[in-house]
Amino acid sequence: MRHDTDVLLNEERVFKPGQEIIDVLHVKDWESEIEKGKDIEKYWAEKAEQFVWFKKWDKVLDDSNEPFYKWFVNGKINMAYNAVDRWITTDKRNQVAVLYVNERGHEKKLTYYELYREVNKFANALKNLGVKKGDVVSTYLPMCPELMVVLLACTKIGAIHSVVYSGLSVGAFVERINDCNAKILITADGTFRRGKIIDLKRVSDEAMLQCPTVETVVVVKHTGIPIEMSELSGREIFYETLIEGEPAELEAEEMDAEDPLFILYTSGSTGKPKGVLHTTAGYMVGVATTLNNVFNIHDGDLWWCTGDIGWITGHSFLLYGPLLLGTTTLVYEGAPDYPNPGAWWSVVEKYGVTKLYTAPTAIRHLMRFGSKYPNLYNLSSLKILGTVGEPINPEAWMWFYKNVGKEKCPIMDTWWQTETGMHMISPLPIAPLKPGSATMALPGIDADVVDDEGNPVPVGKGGLLVIKKPWPAMFRTLYNDEEKFINTYWKEVPGCVYTAGDIARKDEDGYFWIQGRSDDVLKIAGHRIGTSEVESAFVSHPAVVEAAVIGKSDPIKGEVIKAFVILKEGYQLKTQLIEDLSRHVRYELGPVAVLGQITQVDSLPKTRSGKIMRRVLRARDRGEDVGDISTLEE
Ligand code: 6R9
């Protein structure tokens, strides 16, 4: 475990919202909202009232079998009904629900009514393919409107979706499909990225050779590049052909509050990705409430979350959250700096984006091009900004605040995880902000920083970030791995307390400063990747005997990979091999695996039981004290 974080940041600036922001806030009194949130059952039950229930719950929280909590026991509800159907009988019927824009300047708009019809057609088509409540449907799609339609169609009929991020390559893709026994895969011909078209179908074809449970592959013609449909088994069909003639009406499936909604894979500290399972009602309540509180959503908002739908941020805050609140959500496909580094700012200006939610790595990337680009555009429509994915360094915060928000838009630094489903530690717009701090736990959330025994640590000292009471959007288990669910998250400190795997400290005002992961997980450009996944990728190369990797800090990506490799006899780490290894790791894991440095070594520090002590490598790399090495092998 990393405990090397008793660093004190000297950030003392405080920023408060202006009157024009305060005037329209849903929550004007932060402290009393936090006070209200202390009675979690009452607080979350009140929030659950915003939805249309087929049947109300009998009990808000069942904690009789911790950590297997149940929320809104015996309630019956449907996600797609609440995100889409309910709006078509209101004056939002013809409001744009999804605004798709890509880096080539093409756009597509779907009103709530149009979205409703599309979802129903695809849901009917899924039913015709034999998909039933509880079946798993996977996607390998770019950021396109069809992805949103497909996911909503799944939830409309009670199928569980499992999105594979389109940046992942074959190995990771196959693993994710096979772990959940997906029955259907929806993919596309390709995706637009930095002026090129990336061929997704080819990756999917290669993966499908190794995925026996997939009965049908549905292909969206998105970019229009020529592709070959496989002759293999007649299991491939075009999306357009599939929905042809399907009725645009369908009754929503009555789902139990605790029925599974989706699985999303994320990296942990072991090689195998973890299938994080979310269920229906609690997730809906948590996501809609936190989005509304943190970003103060109103009629007339244009919400833009730049995160990919293949990431939890896209699930909760690009797709479900905004639609549950009946707002307009912008889906952007492409790179932030193509055709030029003003691409994003031109989107803000052209469409009048009011709330912009993005990642520190993107801000740092765009910062490199200077303030010239944001200053070329009129960004005055913006009201609130947000970040997620990793700690934001005060320089990037200030740049975003000054150049994008023009010192008028509060920045919501939201800390949360795939596992938490919803925002957990974050300011509300009324909060005094300190650049680099996610401020306090949200109303209804009980978070703290503790030592290994579970005792709160003194002000300014680093410790484990824990959540002490259940929350509605919490994941319910790891798919097919209850034991790992318990051991990874609920055993690290005494009592039934959720350990997040992050190190944090609190300051004298009770503000949280998240310092990074405590386990062997890297955050490269905001994406989680486990050190052991990277190590197995290295070892699968013929030249490598053994590998250990650690994170190395990087001014733009936050962290990149630093690898220590033991090579087979006869191999030397020369330019050619370095390039080859780098390509190999990217091929295995996808472009997320950014290699910063490779070093050849003769041995690796290990415990007597053979575990690589990455902590020792890390300390040596940073020139720090290696700490307790009593378990180190001779
Ligand atoms: C939503 C998401 C979760 C990990 C988390 C932490 C890091 C996320 C952060 C942050 C500091 C923030 N993280 N938000 N660290 N400040 N505002 O990112 O989910 O991909 O599961 O990653 O990301 O380390 O534990 P996920």
Side-chain angles (χ1 to χ4, degrees):
M1 159 142 348
R2 278 195 237 175
H3 273 279
D4 46 1
T5 43
D6 294 347
V7 222
L8 273 175
L9 289 168
N10 301 317
E11 185 51 62
E12 281 171 358
R13 289 169 285 196
V14 177
F15 297 85
K16 294 187 174 152
Q19 198 55 42
E20 66 284 13
I21 295 284
I22 299 175
D23 284 344
V24 294
L25 288 181
H26 298 314
V27 179
K28 292 201 171 90
D29 185 345
W30 193 29
E31 282 82 13
S32 74
E33 186 75 7
I34 288 178
E35 205 46 48
K36 269 206 282 182
K38 289 194 172 147
D39 184 345
I40 56 169
E41 293 193 43
K42 184 157 176 264
Y43 184 78
W44 293 112
E46 251 174 56
K47 304 295 177 191
E49 298 284 351
Q50 66 187 299
F51 296 125
V52 181
W53 293 80
F54 300 130
K55 180 184 165 287
K56 272 278 173 68
W57 57 92
D58 299 333
K59 194 172 179 348
V60 183
L61 173 66
D62 174 359
D63 56 4
S64 58
N65 182 25
E66 7 171 83
F68 298 97
Y69 297 97
K70 290 189 178 130
W71 283 87
F72 307 107
V73 183
N74 292 330
K76 306 285 176 211
I77 197 164
N78 182 284
M79 168 62 101
Y81 185 91
N82 277 279
V84 184
D85 302 24
R86 68 184 290 206
W87 302 122
I88 66 161
T89 49
T90 70
D91 54 9
K92 290 189 193 289
R93 178 186 173 94
N94 299 318
Q95 180 198 307
V96 175
V98 174
L99 167 58
Y100 162 81
V101 182
N102 71 24
E103 61 175 28
R104 300 186 174 199
H106 299 156
E107 60 174 54
K108 186 174 174 184
K109 292 177 181 169
L110 284 174
T111 62
Y112 272 97
Y113 188 58
E114 288 166 334
L115 181 61
Y116 167 81
R117 290 175 49 89
E118 292 303 311
V119 169
N120 288 341
K121 284 190 211 167
F122 195 74
N124 279 315
L126 280 177
K127 282 188 136 181
N128 289 343
L129 290 175
V131 178
K132 295 180 304 296
K133 186 171 171 172
D135 285 344
V136 181
V137 173
S138 280
T139 65
Y140 186 69
L141 282 168
M143 295 280 277
C144 61
E146 287 83 356
L147 174 51
M148 305 176 81
V149 169
V150 165
L151 302 186
L152 288 162
C154 288
T155 65
K156 184 126 192 194
I157 64 170
I160 305 168
H161 60 70
S162 173
V163 175
V164 179
Y165 171 50
S166 62
L168 293 181
S169 49
V170 179
F173 182 177
V174 169
E175 209 171 8
R176 283 160 174 74
I177 300 278
N178 288 345
D179 187 73
C180 64
N181 298 323
K183 201 167 166 177
I184 309 277
L185 174 77
I186 297 106
T187 187
D189 49 6
T191 179
F192 301 108
R193 186 81 186 173
R194 212 166 254 121
K196 296 202 188 85
I197 292 178
I198 296 168
D199 186 343
L200 294 178
K201 178 69 169 44
R202 196 183 41 78
V203 184
S204 152
D205 283 349
E206 209 179 319
M208 282 309 105
L209 295 172
Q210 303 167 59
C211 298
T213 60
V214 176
E215 293 166 9
T216 309
V217 178
V218 182
V219 184
V220 177
K221 283 184 199 158
H222 176 61
T223 61
I225 50 167
I227 49 163
E228 269 179 42
M229 293 296 266
S230 140
E231 305 281 305
L232 258 184
S233 54
R235 65 171 173 172
E236 293 191 341
I237 181 162
F238 280 116
Y239 182 95
E240 286 168 14
T241 318
L242 184 71
I243 60 170
E244 221 172 68
E246 286 300 338
E249 301 293 323
L250 177 71
E251 196 119 322
E253 188 78 30
E254 248 187 46
M255 302 300 288
D256 187 82
E258 282 297 337
D259 274 336
L261 187 68
F262 66 82
I263 303 166
L264 184 61
Y265 286 87
T266 187
S267 294
S269 39
T270 64
K272 200 168 162 279
K274 302 187 283 196
V276 171
L277 181 85
H278 281 284
T279 59
T280 307
Y283 177 80
M284 289 168 62
V285 174
V287 164
T289 303
T290 54
L291 178 61
N292 207 21
N293 278 347
V294 175
F295 288 97
N296 199 50
I297 302 298
H298 275 282
D299 282 351
D301 263 330
L302 176 56
W303 166 258
W304 183 13
C305 164
T306 68
D308 197 282
I309 305 187
W311 186 26
I312 189 68
T313 304
H315 281 59
S316 299
F317 298 117
L318 195 156
L319 176 62
Y320 291 125
L323 297 180
L324 286 169
L325 297 175
T327 192
T328 303
T329 182
L330 194 152
V331 192
Y332 185 81
E333 181 186 14
D337 56 356
Y338 183 86
N340 61 62
W344 276 11
W345 318 128
S346 91
V347 170
V348 170
E349 177 185 276
K350 178 168 179 194
Y351 298 98
V353 172
T354 57
K355 313 280 162 75
L356 174 67
Y357 189 35
T358 188
T361 182
I363 297 169
R364 289 192 300 261
H365 178 73
L366 292 171
M367 226 171 112
R368 276 202 312 189
F369 305 104
S371 54
K372 172 180 152 205
Y373 286 98
N375 287 335
L376 282 176
Y377 299 90
N378 179 354
L379 306 182
S380 62
S381 58
L382 288 170
K383 295 194 171 80
I384 299 178
L385 305 174
T387 65
V388 54
E390 54 177 316
I392 180 163
N393 40 316
E395 297 75 11
W397 197 99
M398 286 307 305
W399 188 86
F400 198 35
Y401 188 71
K402 281 197 176 137
N403 296 292
V404 180
K406 313 294 180 198
E407 301 184 41
K408 287 202 180 100
C409 305
I411 300 178
M412 303 295 103
D413 174 355
T414 60
W415 177 89
W416 60 293
Q417 307 177 294
T418 308
E419 293 87 342
T420 70
M422 65 188 215
H423 300 142
M424 301 293 281
I425 300 177
S426 165
L428 298 186
I430 192 71
L433 303 172
K434 303 184 192 182
S437 166
T439 75
M440 304 249 223
L442 284 171
I445 300 301
D446 188 358
D448 206 353
V449 180
V450 301
D451 63 18
D452 290 345
E453 267 78 60
N455 306 309
V457 298
V459 166
K461 204 155 160 47
L464 304 170
L465 180 59
V466 296
I467 312 292
K468 299 199 287 197
K469 283 186 197 155
W471 64 100
M474 65 199 301
F475 67 139
R476 300 304 197 258
T477 191
L478 292 178
Y479 195 66
N480 286 336
D481 209 341
E482 252 172 34
E483 206 178 305
K484 193 164 180 183
F485 168 70
I486 295 177
N487 293 334
T488 315
Y489 302 102
W490 302 95
K491 280 275 156 71
E492 202 154 329
V493 297
C496 201
V497 166
Y498 172 79
T499 351
D502 278 357
I503 294 284
R505 66 177 182 85
K506 284 208 277 185
D507 68 15
E508 56 291 344
D509 296 322
Y511 276 34
F512 287 79
W513 298 78
I514 318 289
Q515 324 261 255
R517 299 287 307 182
S518 66
D519 56 9
D520 287 317
V521 172
L522 310 181
K523 267 258 158 172
I524 301 178
H527 288 275
R528 257 160 89 162
I529 186 158
T531 46
S532 40
E533 282 171 274
V534 184
E535 287 160 5
S536 350
F538 267 107
V539 176
S540 70
H541 186 281
V544 181
V545 180
E546 230 186 330
V549 310
I550 58 172
K552 187 172 174 58
S553 69
D554 179 88
I556 293 178
K557 304 270 177 201
E559 235 176 358
V560 292
I561 298 164
K562 172 158 185 177
F564 300 85
V565 292
I566 305 180
L567 296 179
K568 277 200 191 125
E569 246 181 64
Y571 285 97
Q572 278 294 321
L573 198 65
K574 300 231 173 83
T575 321
Q576 182 59 43
L577 183 58
I578 293 178
E579 275 170 18
D580 202 35
L581 283 173
S582 170
R583 207 173 320 117
H584 176 75
V585 170
R586 278 173 65 98
Y587 174 77
E588 291 289 316
L589 301 168
V592 195
V594 185
L595 216 50
Q597 197 183 339
I598 313 183
T599 310
Q600 185 177 356
V601 292
D602 295 329
S603 66
L604 291 168
K606 286 189 187 161
T607 62
R608 282 186 210 104
S609 60
K611 288 203 183 75
I612 296 172
M613 292 180 85
R614 297 184 191 86
R615 170 170 75 76
V616 173
L617 291 170
R618 237 172 347 241
R620 276 196 204 138
D621 190 53
R622 297 179 191 162
E624 291 164 2
D625 178 21
V626 292
D628 176 17
I629 46 167
S630 54
T631 57
L632 192 70
E633 191 189 41
E634 278 308 304

